[in-house]
Amino acid sequence: TDGLTGVYNRMGCEGIAYPFLEKCHEEGKYACMMFADINKMKVINDKYGHLQGDLAICTVAKVIQQVLKEKWIVVRYGGDEFVIILKGYRLEQIREITNTLFNEITQSAIEVESVQFYISISMGVVCNDSFPSKRFTQLFRIADQALYTAKNQGKNQIVTMSNQSSQFI
């Protein structure tokens, strides 16, 4: 697990994601992957300090755990990046969950010496009902593309990818 947030770390992701996705496949359930990145993390660290940057990272991890509650794997994939894998939802259902998660994260205020700042996040989402796959790397590659699309389109947004089209939320 990640020492800062208590969620899985990147190494733990490898060991848990493949069996999780395999089990989804065996049970005939869909898996969805979200790839989230805190925007302007360097600015947060430079302006407010690294401890407040750590607090922003911990806040995102906590909100993810509170909103999703079950049927998920949460991974701190990089410094300010999170991978979330959910089981049993189709792409249409995941949009509502993703919107709730996005809203909760972006409404989370961090207070530094009586000054507040809010977390900005970009998210890429894919479900294997639109890209049939039981492999982590395949879903990750598509979620990563969706995340970069969100960032290139101005950040602080969600992009879902399906085999039909990209959708900006």
Side-chain angles (χ1 to χ4, degrees):
T1 58
D2 175 56
L4 180 64
T5 62
V7 300
Y8 288 105
N9 62 21
R10 189 171 180 167
M11 287 181 60
C13 176
E14 298 288 327
I16 193 117
Y18 286 104
F20 184 85
L21 292 170
E22 184 67 35
K23 188 172 182 180
C24 289
H25 180 72
E26 289 170 5
E27 293 175 354
K29 295 184 177 176
Y30 293 107
C32 294
M33 182 179 292
M34 299 176 199
F35 193 13
D37 182 61
I38 300 173
N39 298 317
K40 301 180 182 178
M41 195 67 206
K42 181 172 178 5
V43 172
I44 292 170
N45 285 334
D46 290 349
K47 186 172 183 179
Y48 301 107
H50 285 83
L51 292 177
Q52 300 310 316
D54 286 352
L55 183 56
I57 291 167
C58 289
T59 298
V60 170
K62 183 178 178 183
V63 169
I64 292 169
Q65 292 173 309
Q66 289 173 342
V67 169
L68 300 182
K69 296 182 182 150
E70 59 183 42
K71 298 183 185 179
W72 50 262
I73 293 173
V74 180
V75 178
R76 182 174 172 209
Y77 199 76
D80 60 349
E81 299 171 326
F82 291 86
V83 171
I84 304 126
I85 307 171
L86 297 112
K87 170 171 87 168
Y89 301 101
R90 296 181 76 99
L91 185 57
E92 306 87 48
Q93 297 168 307
I94 207 69
R95 286 189 176 122
E96 182 178 327
I97 294 166
T98 307
N99 281 329
T100 299
L101 183 59
F102 178 85
N103 289 332
E104 289 292 323
I105 290 170
T106 57
Q107 293 170 11
S108 297
I110 307 291
E111 191 164 328
V112 182
E113 298 174 5
S114 69
V115 175
Q116 287 187 339
F117 70 90
Y118 290 86
I119 299 168
S120 168
I121 196 158
S122 298
M123 300 174 75
V125 181
V126 63
C127 292
N128 69 356
D129 64 337
S130 55
F131 290 100
S133 174
K134 59 182 179 180
R135 300 206 46 202
F136 172 80
T137 52
Q138 291 170 323
L139 287 176
F140 181 83
R141 188 176 305 118
I142 298 164
D144 190 36
Q145 289 172 354
L147 172 63
Y148 276 99
T149 300
K151 289 180 126 356
N152 289 332
Q153 296 294 325
K155 300 181 182 175
N156 206 39
Q157 61 184 288
I158 304 163
V159 171
T160 59
M161 294 192 98
S162 71
N163 57 3
Q164 288 129 16
S165 66
S166 296
Q167 181 171 6
F168 301 93
I169 300 176

